[in-house]
Amino acid sequence: MPSPAEYPIKSVREKIEGSVTMSFDVDTSGKPVNIKVIKAEPVKIFDKAAIRSLSKWRYAPKVVNGIAVVDEDLEMTIDFNLAK
């Protein structure tokens, strides 16, 4: 299970919640690469934390005919919600 994104301290203090949707590829070793933010609410508040978190995740590489290949144009949304 991937570790959760680190919540920016300023956003915790200001009780800001949001989400970041990113596009990315998974390379042949299972590492997310070419990470780009495609939607963020609120804009630019959680982008860095979301990218940092996703870049640490690992996936099983896509295998075609027994060979690992780059899996392109994947999407992931990370939500930033404060505990109620």
Side-chain angles (χ1 to χ4, degrees), residues 4-62:
E6 188 175 320
Y7 216 108
I9 292 172
K10 183 174 190 265
S11 298
V12 171
R13 275 194 231 119
E14 295 177 9
K15 296 180 172 43
I16 298 171
E17 296 184 331
S19 65
V20 177
T21 301
M22 297 162 285
S23 68
F24 64 101
D25 303 329
V26 173
D27 70 12
T28 56
S29 66
K31 181 180 178 192
V33 294
N34 303 323
I35 301 170
K36 296 178 189 74
V37 173
I38 54 177
K39 182 180 177 195
E41 293 292 330
V43 175
K44 300 228 185 256
I45 300 293
F46 298 107
D47 295 21
K48 287 181 184 175
I51 290 169
R52 196 168 32 249
S53 179
L54 179 57
S55 69
K56 294 177 184 175
W57 296 5
R58 295 297 172 262
Y59 292 85
K62 180 178 179 179

Side-chain angles (χ1 to χ4, degrees), residues 63-67:
V63 177
V64 176
N65 297 325
I67 299 170

